[in-house]
Amino acid sequence: MRQSAEDLTMRRFRSVDPGLFKSAMGDLPGAVTVITSWTAAGDPSGATLSAVVSLSLDPPLMLACFDQGSTTLGAIQSEGKFLVHVLAHGQQDMAMRFSTKASNKFDGVDWQIGALGLPEIDGCVASVACELHQIIEAGDHKIVIGRVVEVERGHDLNPIVYARKKMLPFEVDGAKQ
């Protein structure tokens, strides 16, 4: 008896070892970003993400993937806007700070009110202000799509990338380390 293509596809997806998949995706370098917004109570909120990319030029859209339990995801849903910070070499500690579930992530961090009135972290390679466009549920994450409304760049800084459980500088000629 011949199996349908759908039966073969479903069996193939179910047989993927989660640890092996996670390890393979760890080989895929990603930009290190911190996404910020305001909670419904008016407190700054932020999370470190590496699953952040540009999605479209016309209109300009960004995509960011959040764990469904993320407090920053809740803040974005409440506030309707967010700021993407591309971290610079030397901001590895900042990335680690915002990757935790701690409530005091902004303590000791140099930040100000930036684009769209959002919490903006100082010293980043770039910041991209977005208005919430759409949220899509996908597995244990939610895909947040934002319409880009403002971009700022620190041209002379090297960004950091994350791969194989390490944050590494992505060196650009002429940029500062």
Side-chain angles (χ1 to χ4, degrees):
M1 178 176 175
R2 186 177 169 126
Q3 291 184 323
S4 73
E6 183 177 327
D7 289 340
L8 289 172
T9 300
M10 290 307 294
R11 190 179 69 202
R12 188 172 51 227
F13 286 138
R14 282 189 291 239
S15 66
V16 172
D17 174 75
L20 180 59
F21 177 65
K22 186 175 181 179
S23 177
M25 292 302 95
D27 289 338
L28 179 65
V32 180
T33 66
V34 170
I35 311 294
T36 61
S37 193
W38 295 106
T39 66
D43 298 318
S45 183
T48 299
L49 299 177
S50 59
V52 177
V53 295
S54 62
L55 177 62
S56 169
L57 287 175
D58 188 18
L61 299 172
M62 296 241 4
L63 175 152
C65 300
F66 288 84
D67 180 276
Q68 290 205 26
S70 167
T71 55
T72 302
L73 171 62
I76 291 168
Q77 289 172 307
S78 172
E79 185 70 13
K81 54 190 176 180
F82 58 97
L83 196 56
V84 178
H85 302 81
V86 179
L87 297 188
H89 180 65
Q91 292 184 309
Q92 288 86 335
D93 289 343
M94 181 92 55
M96 296 306 295
R97 169 187 291 266
F98 282 90
S99 71
T100 70
K101 299 284 185 193
S103 61
N104 61 345
K105 295 178 190 179
F106 282 84
D107 290 355
V109 172
D110 291 332
W111 66 280
Q112 60 196 345
I113 304 299
L116 295 177
L118 293 165
E120 183 173 358
I121 298 169
D122 294 340
C124 295
V125 173
S127 62
V128 182
C130 298
E131 293 176 341
L132 183 59
H133 176 73
Q134 184 177 9
I135 296 178
I136 302 167
E137 289 198 35
D140 59 1
H141 277 62
K142 288 190 178 178
I143 301 165
V144 174
I145 299 171
R147 187 178 67 77
V148 176
V149 295
E150 190 173 328
V151 177
E152 293 180 19
R153 293 189 65 212
H155 296 281
D156 60 345
L157 300 172
N158 278 319
I160 50 177
V161 296
Y162 184 78
R164 296 188 175 172
K165 299 182 181 183
K166 294 180 182 172
M167 284 183 266
L168 308 163
F170 182 83
E171 295 185 18
V172 179
D173 289 340
K176 296 178 186 174
Q177 286 289 353

